[in-house]
Amino acid sequence: MRCARAEAAPQGFCTATTRDQAGLLFRELRRMIKAAPALSAFMDTGNKHLISTAITNGTIRTLSPPEVPSP
């Protein structure tokens, strides 16, 4: 996989209005990476909350608002 421009330590975020929604997106992304040999060869999906690649020192993580307790 090649990028048009080199970026040092790129960061990606799975964002949503709730933590559960962000988690659904993140888990699906991790599943797709594991299923694609070209991606899984250089992306580490072993961490439950972080996808990383040593080649570019890049990361993908979830980003959601803090959980608000019910009244």
Side-chain angles (χ1 to χ4, degrees), residues 12-49:
F13 299 94
C14 296
T15 61
T17 57
T18 68
R19 186 170 299 190
D20 288 341
Q21 289 175 338
L24 287 171
L25 177 60
F26 185 81
R27 285 189 298 277
E28 182 63 16
L29 178 59
R30 189 171 54 210
R31 185 194 65 77
M32 291 187 318
I33 291 169
K34 287 180 178 181
L39 294 176
S40 61
F42 69 91
M43 299 187 89
D44 179 12
T45 58
N47 187 309
K48 184 177 177 180
H49 304 287

Side-chain angles (χ1 to χ4, degrees), residues 42-63:
F42 69 91
M43 299 187 89
D44 179 12
T45 58
N47 187 309
K48 184 177 177 180
H49 304 287
L50 179 74
I51 297 171
S52 62
T53 178
I55 294 172
T56 61
N57 200 29
T59 59
I60 303 171
R61 67 182 75 227
T62 58
L63 184 63

